[in-house]
Amino acid sequence: MTPNLPNALSGWREAPRIRPLNDRAPEAHGRYVLCWLQQALRAYDNPVIDAAIRLGNAMRRPVLVYHGLREDYPYASDRLHRFILGASRDLAAGCVARGLTFACHLDRAGRREKGLVHRLGAQAAAIVVEDQPSFVARWQAARVAARASVPVYAINAACLVPPALIGDDVQGRSGFLRRHEPERAAWAETEDEAPDMAPYAGPLPFRPDDLAEGEFAALIGALAIDHTVPVSPVFSAGRASAEERLTRLLTDVLPSYASARNDATRPDGASGLSPYLHFGVIGPREIMARIGTATAGAQHKKKFADELLGWREWFHFQARRLDAPERYDRVAGWARAKLADHATDPRPDSETLEAMLRGQTRDETWNACQRQFLIDGWMHNNLRMYWGKRIIAMTPDPEAAWAAACYLNDRLSLDGRDPSTYGNIAAMFGGSPSDRERPVYGRVATRGDGSTRRRDGGAAWLADAASRPAPQVSVPPVVPVDPYLTGRPTI
Ligand SMILES: Cc1cc2nc3c(=O)[nH]c(=O)nc-3n(C[C@H](O)[C@H](O)[C@H](O)COP(=O)(O)OP(=O)(O)OC[C@H]3O[C@@H](n4cnc5c(N)ncnc54)[C@H](O)[C@@H]3O)c2cc1C
């Protein structure tokens, strides 16, 4: 049983997902239970919403689901805003269909709201938030919990198996898998909670937005965000697009996943679900349920589960234990020491930030990789490995390489700013040591581009990538310092 939980939550089967963030007593006169969503933007199979409903039912209070979007979160761009607002619109419709009140706020000139979450929290009987181990959600949740006068509970909605069940004594990934694999079946099913209370119809401390699809372009165009990173032409926003991707996974991708997944030249090699997973538009439980009933060979299902659960949830578990999963010091100590030994080696492959950002370096394969980020807002896994390794040689020193990799990934990729971002980049900078000591890399393994270039059709694929028109994204004078590690905007 999780300590310090009220009965409504402690007796719930999803209780291991919950972490109390403070020890305040519930406010008997609160108007509603506030459910503040930041990244788990789905109305169903969402343990954060379900926890709020359970609390609301027990306290005889309705649930208010709130989602807000500001202009000043790091890397805010047309691409990210459009994807998030599309998810938010569908979240709104789903909440209403579930009998919950939904309130959205898009912060903009003429519609500024200062400290809105705190103001909403001041009228609440209790608050539930997401338990996200990276990006803004983590420290924003902590700030709200510190200021609130009511209990704040953080709930994990990102993983199939609640990370807290794994245990803090686990060190490596094999130990993690030994605990994680036997738990999976127990978390395969869930039932959405039903609210007993009528939707909240009382006063709010602001006028909520009602965002209709047709308004997005004009609204986004007027915001003070990065307009040089355009909307993705490939990854459409919203729940219907996630469902289409899931259907395509089952029909086109899964039947050959284990063999096709490493071939970046195949359009049906991978699911393309990561942006939807990152923003919680779809959760791993729903995906795994559909995989379970799909017609595909066991080796393909196993491989998919290894990626979605074995790798993704490992990185979530790791991030949860790190003060700052985004920081270079998470890279394995031996690798940092070796890279430091070679930090002053000559770097004939170094490139400018502009050439890297725009995919115009001297490395044709690297440019093809970067153009997926630049144009599509996503990159194939096999390409990401080459891309991540090569950045070490293209930048002045290892810490600059880390900052550049995180910056390019976070600014351009819809699935960036995720525990998988920093975990995978750390694996590119560390991983298993190679036998040979090389310039620049020390004993950090390098990677060639043969798996793309030498494939049948590889040369044509590279030529095609080079011919794609890319947006002229703005180029800062230097790689910006990771904003989470320095000043953090207030909410
Ligand atoms: C340098 C580098 C940076 C990366 N940055 C990110 C990132 O910012 N965000 C992100 O979600 N993933 C990242 N990955 C992991 C992986 O490349 C992507 O998750 C995957 O390419 C997404 O495409 P997909 O959905 O088609 O994957 P599929 O092959 O269809 O896999 C299904 C799901 O499994 C998960 N998954 C697959 N591979 C991995 C992996 N290596 N690690 C963790 N989860 C995985 C993803 O959630 C993915 O959506 C990175 C990998 C590398 C090497």
Side-chain angles (χ1 to χ4, degrees), residues 373-407:
F373 267 175
L374 206 51
I375 303 168
D376 303 334
W378 174 90
M379 195 194 296
H380 188 280
N381 178 68
N382 200 263
L383 302 182
R384 292 193 206 218
M385 292 196 279
Y386 179 72
W387 174 91
K389 289 280 188 192
R390 282 290 290 158
I391 289 177
I392 297 172
M394 290 177 164
T395 41
D397 60 62
E399 294 203 38
W402 173 267
C406 295
Y407 168 69

PDB file of all heavy atoms in Angstrom, residues 373-407:
ATOM      1  N   PHE A 373      14.321  15.406 -38.794  1.00  0.00           N
ATOM      2  CA  PHE A 373      13.959  16.279 -37.668  1.00  0.00           C
ATOM      3  C   PHE A 373      13.418  17.614 -38.183  1.00  0.00           C
ATOM      4  O   PHE A 373      12.393  18.111 -37.742  1.00  0.00           O
ATOM      5  CB  PHE A 373      15.175  16.557 -36.789  1.00  0.00           C
ATOM      6  CG  PHE A 373      15.354  15.606 -35.622  1.00  0.00           C
ATOM      7  CD1 PHE A 373      16.478  15.690 -34.807  1.00  0.00           C
ATOM      8  CD2 PHE A 373      14.396  14.643 -35.313  1.00  0.00           C
ATOM      9  CE1 PHE A 373      16.640  14.842 -33.721  1.00  0.00           C
ATOM     10  CE2 PHE A 373      14.564  13.793 -34.228  1.00  0.00           C
ATOM     11  CZ  PHE A 373      15.693  13.894 -33.432  1.00  0.00           C
ATOM     12  N   LEU A 374      14.187  18.187 -39.122  1.00  0.00           N
ATOM     13  CA  LEU A 374      13.892  19.529 -39.612  1.00  0.00           C
ATOM     14  C   LEU A 374      12.535  19.603 -40.301  1.00  0.00           C
ATOM     15  O   LEU A 374      11.737  20.504 -40.045  1.00  0.00           O
ATOM     16  CB  LEU A 374      14.997  19.882 -40.619  1.00  0.00           C
ATOM     17  CG  LEU A 374      15.363  21.318 -40.893  1.00  0.00           C
ATOM     18  CD1 LEU A 374      15.631  22.074 -39.623  1.00  0.00           C
ATOM     19  CD2 LEU A 374      16.605  21.346 -41.804  1.00  0.00           C
ATOM     20  N   ILE A 375      12.259  18.639 -41.169  1.00  0.00           N
ATOM     21  CA  ILE A 375      11.047  18.717 -41.983  1.00  0.00           C
ATOM     22  C   ILE A 375       9.881  18.002 -41.301  1.00  0.00           C
ATOM     23  O   ILE A 375       8.790  18.551 -41.170  1.00  0.00           O
ATOM     24  CB  ILE A 375      11.295  18.096 -43.382  1.00  0.00           C
ATOM     25  CG1 ILE A 375      12.469  18.799 -44.068  1.00  0.00           C
ATOM     26  CG2 ILE A 375      10.026  18.169 -44.245  1.00  0.00           C
ATOM     27  CD1 ILE A 375      12.993  18.110 -45.315  1.00  0.00           C
ATOM     28  N   ASP A 376      10.137  16.767 -40.856  1.00  0.00           N
ATOM     29  CA  ASP A 376       9.032  15.938 -40.351  1.00  0.00           C
ATOM     30  C   ASP A 376       8.752  16.137 -38.860  1.00  0.00           C
ATOM     31  O   ASP A 376       7.656  15.861 -38.388  1.00  0.00           O
ATOM     32  CB  ASP A 376       9.344  14.452 -40.571  1.00  0.00           C
ATOM     33  CG  ASP A 376       9.601  14.139 -42.036  1.00  0.00           C
ATOM     34  OD1 ASP A 376       9.079  14.870 -42.895  1.00  0.00           O
ATOM     35  OD2 ASP A 376      10.332  13.169 -42.321  1.00  0.00           O
ATOM     36  N   GLY A 377       9.799  16.515 -38.101  1.00  0.00           N
ATOM     37  CA  GLY A 377       9.628  16.588 -36.645  1.00  0.00           C
ATOM     38  C   GLY A 377       9.743  15.227 -36.002  1.00  0.00           C
ATOM     39  O   GLY A 377       9.149  14.982 -34.934  1.00  0.00           O
ATOM     40  N   TRP A 378      10.524  14.340 -36.570  1.00  0.00           N
ATOM     41  CA  TRP A 378      10.686  12.961 -36.076  1.00  0.00           C
ATOM     42  C   TRP A 378      11.873  12.376 -36.830  1.00  0.00           C
ATOM     43  O   TRP A 378      12.178  12.809 -37.941  1.00  0.00           O
ATOM     44  CB  TRP A 378       9.424  12.168 -36.394  1.00  0.00           C
ATOM     45  CG  TRP A 378       9.457  10.692 -36.098  1.00  0.00           C
ATOM     46  CD1 TRP A 378       9.105  10.090 -34.932  1.00  0.00           C
ATOM     47  CD2 TRP A 378       9.830   9.624 -36.994  1.00  0.00           C
ATOM     48  NE1 TRP A 378       9.242   8.718 -35.042  1.00  0.00           N
ATOM     49  CE2 TRP A 378       9.683   8.419 -36.307  1.00  0.00           C
ATOM     50  CE3 TRP A 378      10.283   9.583 -38.313  1.00  0.00           C
ATOM     51  CZ2 TRP A 378       9.977   7.174 -36.882  1.00  0.00           C
ATOM     52  CZ3 TRP A 378      10.572   8.350 -38.885  1.00  0.00           C
ATOM     53  CH2 TRP A 378      10.409   7.166 -38.176  1.00  0.00           C
ATOM     54  N   MET A 379      12.546  11.370 -36.255  1.00  0.00           N
ATOM     55  CA  MET A 379      13.622  10.685 -36.981  1.00  0.00           C
ATOM     56  C   MET A 379      13.563   9.194 -36.700  1.00  0.00           C
ATOM     57  O   MET A 379      13.237   8.780 -35.581  1.00  0.00           O
ATOM     58  CB  MET A 379      14.990  11.234 -36.559  1.00  0.00           C
ATOM     59  CG  MET A 379      16.136  10.851 -37.490  1.00  0.00           C
ATOM     60  SD  MET A 379      17.776  11.155 -36.769  1.00  0.00           S
ATOM     61  CE  MET A 379      17.799  12.910 -36.583  1.00  0.00           C
ATOM     62  N   HIS A 380      13.877   8.418 -37.717  1.00  0.00           N
ATOM     63  CA  HIS A 380      13.909   6.959 -37.575  1.00  0.00           C
ATOM     64  C   HIS A 380      14.999   6.560 -36.569  1.00  0.00           C
ATOM     65  O   HIS A 380      16.072   7.159 -36.546  1.00  0.00           O
ATOM     66  CB  HIS A 380      14.198   6.343 -38.950  1.00  0.00           C
ATOM     67  CG  HIS A 380      14.066   4.858 -38.977  1.00  0.00           C
ATOM     68  ND1 HIS A 380      15.048   4.009 -38.517  1.00  0.00           N
ATOM     69  CD2 HIS A 380      13.049   4.067 -39.392  1.00  0.00           C
ATOM     70  CE1 HIS A 380      14.645   2.761 -38.655  1.00  0.00           C
ATOM     71  NE2 HIS A 380      13.439   2.767 -39.184  1.00  0.00           N
ATOM     72  N   ASN A 381      14.730   5.514 -35.782  1.00  0.00           N
ATOM     73  CA  ASN A 381      15.660   5.116 -34.727  1.00  0.00           C
ATOM     74  C   ASN A 381      17.066   4.820 -35.247  1.00  0.00           C
ATOM     75  O   ASN A 381      18.056   5.238 -34.663  1.00  0.00           O
ATOM     76  CB  ASN A 381      15.116   3.892 -33.993  1.00  0.00           C
ATOM     77  CG  ASN A 381      16.073   3.425 -32.915  1.00  0.00           C
ATOM     78  OD1 ASN A 381      16.277   4.103 -31.918  1.00  0.00           O
ATOM     79  ND2 ASN A 381      16.705   2.281 -33.119  1.00  0.00           N
ATOM     80  N   ASN A 382      17.149   4.098 -36.355  1.00  0.00           N
ATOM     81  CA  ASN A 382      18.467   3.719 -36.870  1.00  0.00           C
ATOM     82  C   ASN A 382      19.279   4.958 -37.248  1.00  0.00           C
ATOM     83  O   ASN A 382      20.491   5.022 -37.023  1.00  0.00           O
ATOM     84  CB  ASN A 382      18.269   2.799 -38.084  1.00  0.00           C
ATOM     85  CG  ASN A 382      19.505   1.992 -38.360  1.00  0.00           C
ATOM     86  OD1 ASN A 382      20.299   2.375 -39.212  1.00  0.00           O
ATOM     87  ND2 ASN A 382      19.698   0.909 -37.624  1.00  0.00           N
ATOM     88  N   LEU A 383      18.597   5.943 -37.788  1.00  0.00           N
ATOM     89  CA  LEU A 383      19.286   7.188 -38.156  1.00  0.00           C
ATOM     90  C   LEU A 383      19.702   7.961 -36.908  1.00  0.00           C
ATOM     91  O   LEU A 383      20.751   8.586 -36.870  1.00  0.00           O
ATOM     92  CB  LEU A 383      18.382   8.065 -39.016  1.00  0.00           C
ATOM     93  CG  LEU A 383      17.857   7.452 -40.315  1.00  0.00           C
ATOM     94  CD1 LEU A 383      17.017   8.479 -41.070  1.00  0.00           C
ATOM     95  CD2 LEU A 383      18.992   6.954 -41.198  1.00  0.00           C
ATOM     96  N   ARG A 384      18.862   7.902 -35.866  1.00  0.00           N
ATOM     97  CA  ARG A 384      19.183   8.658 -34.650  1.00  0.00           C
ATOM     98  C   ARG A 384      20.495   8.170 -34.049  1.00  0.00           C
ATOM     99  O   ARG A 384      21.229   8.945 -33.440  1.00  0.00           O
ATOM    100  CB  ARG A 384      18.068   8.519 -33.611  1.00  0.00           C
ATOM    101  CG  ARG A 384      16.785   9.196 -34.026  1.00  0.00           C
ATOM    102  CD  ARG A 384      15.838   9.297 -32.830  1.00  0.00           C
ATOM    103  NE  ARG A 384      14.462   9.356 -33.265  1.00  0.00           N
ATOM    104  CZ  ARG A 384      13.526  10.117 -32.696  1.00  0.00           C
ATOM    105  NH1 ARG A 384      13.826  10.878 -31.683  1.00  0.00           N
ATOM    106  NH2 ARG A 384      12.295  10.100 -33.131  1.00  0.00           N
ATOM    107  N   MET A 385      20.777   6.881 -34.223  1.00  0.00           N
ATOM    108  CA  MET A 385      22.012   6.364 -33.619  1.00  0.00           C
ATOM    109  C   MET A 385      23.231   6.936 -34.336  1.00  0.00           C
ATOM    110  O   MET A 385      24.195   7.368 -33.697  1.00  0.00           O
ATOM    111  CB  MET A 385      21.987   4.837 -33.641  1.00  0.00           C
ATOM    112  CG  MET A 385      20.932   4.287 -32.706  1.00  0.00           C
ATOM    113  SD  MET A 385      21.135   2.564 -32.332  1.00  0.00           S
ATOM    114  CE  MET A 385      20.419   1.834 -33.778  1.00  0.00           C
ATOM    115  N   TYR A 386      23.194   6.965 -35.663  1.00  0.00           N
ATOM    116  CA  TYR A 386      24.305   7.553 -36.416  1.00  0.00           C
ATOM    117  C   TYR A 386      24.399   9.054 -36.111  1.00  0.00           C
ATOM    118  O   TYR A 386      25.468   9.589 -35.821  1.00  0.00           O
ATOM    119  CB  TYR A 386      24.087   7.312 -37.919  1.00  0.00           C
ATOM    120  CG  TYR A 386      25.180   7.923 -38.755  1.00  0.00           C
ATOM    121  CD1 TYR A 386      26.460   7.359 -38.770  1.00  0.00           C
ATOM    122  CD2 TYR A 386      24.949   9.079 -39.503  1.00  0.00           C
ATOM    123  CE1 TYR A 386      27.479   7.942 -39.513  1.00  0.00           C
ATOM    124  CE2 TYR A 386      25.956   9.657 -40.250  1.00  0.00           C
ATOM    125  CZ  TYR A 386      27.217   9.086 -40.250  1.00  0.00           C
ATOM    126  OH  TYR A 386      28.230   9.657 -40.972  1.00  0.00           O
ATOM    127  N   TRP A 387      23.262   9.705 -36.152  1.00  0.00           N
ATOM    128  CA  TRP A 387      23.174  11.155 -35.907  1.00  0.00           C
ATOM    129  C   TRP A 387      23.786  11.503 -34.547  1.00  0.00           C
ATOM    130  O   TRP A 387      24.607  12.406 -34.421  1.00  0.00           O
ATOM    131  CB  TRP A 387      21.693  11.528 -35.984  1.00  0.00           C
ATOM    132  CG  TRP A 387      21.296  12.919 -35.634  1.00  0.00           C
ATOM    133  CD1 TRP A 387      21.186  13.982 -36.483  1.00  0.00           C
ATOM    134  CD2 TRP A 387      20.908  13.405 -34.337  1.00  0.00           C
ATOM    135  NE1 TRP A 387      20.761  15.091 -35.807  1.00  0.00           N
ATOM    136  CE2 TRP A 387      20.575  14.780 -34.497  1.00  0.00           C
ATOM    137  CE3 TRP A 387      20.793  12.839 -33.071  1.00  0.00           C
ATOM    138  CZ2 TRP A 387      20.149  15.569 -33.427  1.00  0.00           C
ATOM    139  CZ3 TRP A 387      20.373  13.637 -32.013  1.00  0.00           C
ATOM    140  CH2 TRP A 387      20.066  14.972 -32.196  1.00  0.00           C
ATOM    141  N   GLY A 388      23.405  10.750 -33.511  1.00  0.00           N
ATOM    142  CA  GLY A 388      23.855  11.055 -32.149  1.00  0.00           C
ATOM    143  C   GLY A 388      25.355  10.827 -31.971  1.00  0.00           C
ATOM    144  O   GLY A 388      26.033  11.605 -31.283  1.00  0.00           O
ATOM    145  N   LYS A 389      25.865   9.766 -32.561  1.00  0.00           N
ATOM    146  CA  LYS A 389      27.308   9.484 -32.445  1.00  0.00           C
ATOM    147  C   LYS A 389      28.141  10.541 -33.178  1.00  0.00           C
ATOM    148  O   LYS A 389      29.175  10.984 -32.688  1.00  0.00           O
ATOM    149  CB  LYS A 389      27.617   8.117 -33.077  1.00  0.00           C
ATOM    150  CG  LYS A 389      27.108   6.932 -32.298  1.00  0.00           C
ATOM    151  CD  LYS A 389      28.045   6.619 -31.160  1.00  0.00           C
ATOM    152  CE  LYS A 389      27.661   5.319 -30.465  1.00  0.00           C
ATOM    153  NZ  LYS A 389      28.392   5.171 -29.191  1.00  0.00           N
ATOM    154  N   ARG A 390      27.697  10.929 -34.366  1.00  0.00           N
ATOM    155  CA  ARG A 390      28.496  11.842 -35.187  1.00  0.00           C
ATOM    156  C   ARG A 390      28.594  13.241 -34.574  1.00  0.00           C
ATOM    157  O   ARG A 390      29.570  13.956 -34.807  1.00  0.00           O
ATOM    158  CB  ARG A 390      27.880  11.958 -36.592  1.00  0.00           C
ATOM    159  CG  ARG A 390      28.178  10.786 -37.483  1.00  0.00           C
ATOM    160  CD  ARG A 390      29.640  10.745 -37.885  1.00  0.00           C
ATOM    161  NE  ARG A 390      29.997  11.812 -38.813  1.00  0.00           N
ATOM    162  CZ  ARG A 390      31.220  12.253 -38.995  1.00  0.00           C
ATOM    163  NH1 ARG A 390      32.228  11.752 -38.293  1.00  0.00           N
ATOM    164  NH2 ARG A 390      31.473  13.215 -39.864  1.00  0.00           N
ATOM    165  N   ILE A 391      27.606  13.625 -33.795  1.00  0.00           N
ATOM    166  CA  ILE A 391      27.636  14.966 -33.195  1.00  0.00           C
ATOM    167  C   ILE A 391      28.874  15.133 -32.313  1.00  0.00           C
ATOM    168  O   ILE A 391      29.431  16.225 -32.194  1.00  0.00           O
ATOM    169  CB  ILE A 391      26.323  15.229 -32.409  1.00  0.00           C
ATOM    170  CG1 ILE A 391      25.167  15.406 -33.401  1.00  0.00           C
ATOM    171  CG2 ILE A 391      26.429  16.463 -31.522  1.00  0.00           C
ATOM    172  CD1 ILE A 391      23.807  15.595 -32.763  1.00  0.00           C
ATOM    173  N   ILE A 392      29.343  14.044 -31.747  1.00  0.00           N
ATOM    174  CA  ILE A 392      30.535  14.125 -30.883  1.00  0.00           C
ATOM    175  C   ILE A 392      31.733  14.649 -31.684  1.00  0.00           C
ATOM    176  O   ILE A 392      32.543  15.431 -31.179  1.00  0.00           O
ATOM    177  CB  ILE A 392      30.836  12.738 -30.246  1.00  0.00           C
ATOM    178  CG1 ILE A 392      29.660  12.320 -29.348  1.00  0.00           C
ATOM    179  CG2 ILE A 392      32.157  12.758 -29.479  1.00  0.00           C
ATOM    180  CD1 ILE A 392      29.745  10.889 -28.809  1.00  0.00           C
ATOM    181  N   ALA A 393      31.833  14.257 -32.952  1.00  0.00           N
ATOM    182  CA  ALA A 393      32.966  14.707 -33.778  1.00  0.00           C
ATOM    183  C   ALA A 393      32.724  16.082 -34.392  1.00  0.00           C
ATOM    184  O   ALA A 393      33.661  16.746 -34.834  1.00  0.00           O
ATOM    185  CB  ALA A 393      33.220  13.687 -34.891  1.00  0.00           C
ATOM    186  N   MET A 394      31.481  16.503 -34.437  1.00  0.00           N
ATOM    187  CA  MET A 394      31.148  17.752 -35.149  1.00  0.00           C
ATOM    188  C   MET A 394      31.222  18.991 -34.267  1.00  0.00           C
ATOM    189  O   MET A 394      31.050  20.108 -34.755  1.00  0.00           O
ATOM    190  CB  MET A 394      29.719  17.647 -35.705  1.00  0.00           C
ATOM    191  CG  MET A 394      29.586  16.651 -36.841  1.00  0.00           C
ATOM    192  SD  MET A 394      27.858  16.561 -37.350  1.00  0.00           S
ATOM    193  CE  MET A 394      28.023  15.754 -38.946  1.00  0.00           C
ATOM    194  N   THR A 395      31.386  18.790 -32.957  1.00  0.00           N
ATOM    195  CA  THR A 395      31.290  19.894 -31.993  1.00  0.00           C
ATOM    196  C   THR A 395      32.625  20.074 -31.257  1.00  0.00           C
ATOM    197  O   THR A 395      33.464  19.166 -31.264  1.00  0.00           O
ATOM    198  CB  THR A 395      30.156  19.579 -30.994  1.00  0.00           C
ATOM    199  OG1 THR A 395      30.239  18.193 -30.666  1.00  0.00           O
ATOM    200  CG2 THR A 395      28.802  19.850 -31.585  1.00  0.00           C
ATOM    201  N   PRO A 396      32.837  21.227 -30.597  1.00  0.00           N
ATOM    202  CA  PRO A 396      34.169  21.531 -30.036  1.00  0.00           C
ATOM    203  C   PRO A 396      34.627  20.609 -28.901  1.00  0.00           C
ATOM    204  O   PRO A 396      35.808  20.378 -28.735  1.00  0.00           O
ATOM    205  CB  PRO A 396      34.022  22.959 -29.512  1.00  0.00           C
ATOM    206  CG  PRO A 396      32.798  23.512 -30.133  1.00  0.00           C
ATOM    207  CD  PRO A 396      31.923  22.371 -30.493  1.00  0.00           C
ATOM    208  N   ASP A 397      33.708  20.113 -28.079  1.00  0.00           N
ATOM    209  CA  ASP A 397      34.106  19.237 -26.969  1.00  0.00           C
ATOM    210  C   ASP A 397      32.893  18.417 -26.532  1.00  0.00           C
ATOM    211  O   ASP A 397      31.775  18.674 -26.979  1.00  0.00           O
ATOM    212  CB  ASP A 397      34.682  20.070 -25.797  1.00  0.00           C
ATOM    213  CG  ASP A 397      33.664  21.065 -25.273  1.00  0.00           C
ATOM    214  OD1 ASP A 397      32.604  20.624 -24.787  1.00  0.00           O
ATOM    215  OD2 ASP A 397      33.905  22.293 -25.368  1.00  0.00           O
ATOM    216  N   PRO A 398      33.094  17.418 -25.650  1.00  0.00           N
ATOM    217  CA  PRO A 398      31.984  16.512 -25.335  1.00  0.00           C
ATOM    218  C   PRO A 398      30.765  17.194 -24.728  1.00  0.00           C
ATOM    219  O   PRO A 398      29.629  16.838 -25.059  1.00  0.00           O
ATOM    220  CB  PRO A 398      32.589  15.532 -24.321  1.00  0.00           C
ATOM    221  CG  PRO A 398      34.052  15.728 -24.340  1.00  0.00           C
ATOM    222  CD  PRO A 398      34.350  17.013 -25.015  1.00  0.00           C
ATOM    223  N   GLU A 399      30.975  18.174 -23.869  1.00  0.00           N
ATOM    224  CA  GLU A 399      29.801  18.830 -23.263  1.00  0.00           C
ATOM    225  C   GLU A 399      29.049  19.670 -24.287  1.00  0.00           C
ATOM    226  O   GLU A 399      27.815  19.751 -24.261  1.00  0.00           O
ATOM    227  CB  GLU A 399      30.217  19.670 -22.057  1.00  0.00           C
ATOM    228  CG  GLU A 399      30.727  18.784 -20.938  1.00  0.00           C
ATOM    229  CD  GLU A 399      30.634  19.420 -19.572  1.00  0.00           C
ATOM    230  OE1 GLU A 399      29.643  20.125 -19.302  1.00  0.00           O
ATOM    231  OE2 GLU A 399      31.560  19.215 -18.778  1.00  0.00           O
ATOM    232  N   ALA A 400      29.808  20.261 -25.212  1.00  0.00           N
ATOM    233  CA  ALA A 400      29.152  21.017 -26.290  1.00  0.00           C
ATOM    234  C   ALA A 400      28.375  20.038 -27.183  1.00  0.00           C
ATOM    235  O   ALA A 400      27.289  20.366 -27.685  1.00  0.00           O
ATOM    236  CB  ALA A 400      30.190  21.774 -27.113  1.00  0.00           C
ATOM    237  N   ALA A 401      28.915  18.844 -27.361  1.00  0.00           N
ATOM    238  CA  ALA A 401      28.229  17.826 -28.177  1.00  0.00           C
ATOM    239  C   ALA A 401      26.908  17.436 -27.519  1.00  0.00           C
ATOM    240  O   ALA A 401      25.861  17.331 -28.176  1.00  0.00           O
ATOM    241  CB  ALA A 401      29.127  16.601 -28.332  1.00  0.00           C
ATOM    242  N   TRP A 402      26.957  17.226 -26.207  1.00  0.00           N
ATOM    243  CA  TRP A 402      25.736  16.861 -25.466  1.00  0.00           C
ATOM    244  C   TRP A 402      24.686  17.974 -25.607  1.00  0.00           C
ATOM    245  O   TRP A 402      23.515  17.722 -25.923  1.00  0.00           O
ATOM    246  CB  TRP A 402      26.079  16.636 -23.990  1.00  0.00           C
ATOM    247  CG  TRP A 402      24.874  16.414 -23.124  1.00  0.00           C
ATOM    248  CD1 TRP A 402      24.195  17.363 -22.425  1.00  0.00           C
ATOM    249  CD2 TRP A 402      24.196  15.174 -22.897  1.00  0.00           C
ATOM    250  NE1 TRP A 402      23.136  16.794 -21.757  1.00  0.00           N
ATOM    251  CE2 TRP A 402      23.112  15.450 -22.030  1.00  0.00           C
ATOM    252  CE3 TRP A 402      24.400  13.863 -23.320  1.00  0.00           C
ATOM    253  CZ2 TRP A 402      22.230  14.471 -21.580  1.00  0.00           C
ATOM    254  CZ3 TRP A 402      23.525  12.870 -22.884  1.00  0.00           C
ATOM    255  CH2 TRP A 402      22.451  13.176 -22.026  1.00  0.00           C
ATOM    256  N   ALA A 403      25.138  19.216 -25.392  1.00  0.00           N
ATOM    257  CA  ALA A 403      24.191  20.337 -25.464  1.00  0.00           C
ATOM    258  C   ALA A 403      23.595  20.447 -26.867  1.00  0.00           C
ATOM    259  O   ALA A 403      22.391  20.684 -27.019  1.00  0.00           O
ATOM    260  CB  ALA A 403      24.902  21.639 -25.077  1.00  0.00           C
ATOM    261  N   ALA A 404      24.435  20.245 -27.895  1.00  0.00           N
ATOM    262  CA  ALA A 404      23.932  20.357 -29.276  1.00  0.00           C
ATOM    263  C   ALA A 404      22.936  19.246 -29.581  1.00  0.00           C
ATOM    264  O   ALA A 404      21.880  19.483 -30.183  1.00  0.00           O
ATOM    265  CB  ALA A 404      25.101  20.313 -30.262  1.00  0.00           C
ATOM    266  N   ALA A 405      23.251  18.025 -29.163  1.00  0.00           N
ATOM    267  CA  ALA A 405      22.353  16.895 -29.449  1.00  0.00           C
ATOM    268  C   ALA A 405      20.992  17.128 -28.785  1.00  0.00           C
ATOM    269  O   ALA A 405      19.937  16.956 -29.408  1.00  0.00           O
ATOM    270  CB  ALA A 405      22.980  15.590 -28.962  1.00  0.00           C
ATOM    271  N   CYS A 406      21.013  17.527 -27.506  1.00  0.00           N
ATOM    272  CA  CYS A 406      19.741  17.758 -26.803  1.00  0.00           C
ATOM    273  C   CYS A 406      18.984  18.916 -27.449  1.00  0.00           C
ATOM    274  O   CYS A 406      17.761  18.852 -27.628  1.00  0.00           O
ATOM    275  CB  CYS A 406      19.980  18.051 -25.320  1.00  0.00           C
ATOM    276  SG  CYS A 406      20.676  16.657 -24.425  1.00  0.00           S
ATOM    277  N   TYR A 407      19.718  19.961 -27.814  1.00  0.00           N
ATOM    278  CA  TYR A 407      19.065  21.138 -28.407  1.00  0.00           C
ATOM    279  C   TYR A 407      18.381  20.786 -29.734  1.00  0.00           C
ATOM    280  O   TYR A 407      17.217  21.125 -29.966  1.00  0.00           O
ATOM    281  CB  TYR A 407      20.110  22.242 -28.596  1.00  0.00           C
ATOM    282  CG  TYR A 407      19.642  23.380 -29.455  1.00  0.00           C
ATOM    283  CD1 TYR A 407      18.648  24.245 -29.003  1.00  0.00           C
ATOM    284  CD2 TYR A 407      20.183  23.580 -30.730  1.00  0.00           C
ATOM    285  CE1 TYR A 407      18.214  25.287 -29.805  1.00  0.00           C
ATOM    286  CE2 TYR A 407      19.744  24.612 -31.533  1.00  0.00           C
ATOM    287  CZ  TYR A 407      18.759  25.470 -31.066  1.00  0.00           C
ATOM    288  OH  TYR A 407      18.310  26.497 -31.856  1.00  0.00           O
TER     289      TYR A 407
END
